[in-house]
Amino acid sequence: EETTWEALTRYAADILGQPQSLVAPVQMAGLKMRVPRPLKAALSNGKLIAAGVQMPTWRDAIARYIDVLRRQP
């Protein structure tokens, strides 16, 4: 399932109990960066799936990562 950085950030904010108003979309085309970045850089796990590797959904991975961070001292 594809997502955007904005959707990922909104999901993380929701898990953390933070207001959605903290998240604002940013258009890459409008940013001045030292090094050019692609406007869309989707990653694919197709080769892993073809090799039989079961990948979690991005939502599951974010939720587990936040859980690990919460348990750190």
Side-chain angles (χ1 to χ4, degrees), residues 31-56:
L31 295 178
K32 294 184 180 180
M33 314 237 349
R34 285 191 229 175
V35 178
R37 303 281 186 216
L39 296 179
K40 183 174 180 179
L43 300 176
S44 171
N45 60 4
K47 289 184 180 181
L48 291 171
I49 291 171
V53 177
Q54 181 66 34
M55 297 294 295

Side-chain angles (χ1 to χ4, degrees), residues 1-2 11-13 16 24 26-28 32-33 37 40-41 43-44 47 50 52 55 61 65 68 70-72:
E1 166 190 6
E2 286 189 19
Y11 181 73
L16 293 167
V26 175
Q27 296 296 320
M28 288 295 292
K32 294 184 180 180
M33 314 237 349
R37 303 281 186 216
K40 183 174 180 179
L43 300 176
S44 171
K47 289 184 180 181
M55 297 294 295
Y65 179 69
V68 168
R70 283 180 167 158
R71 286 187 268 136
Q72 290 182 351

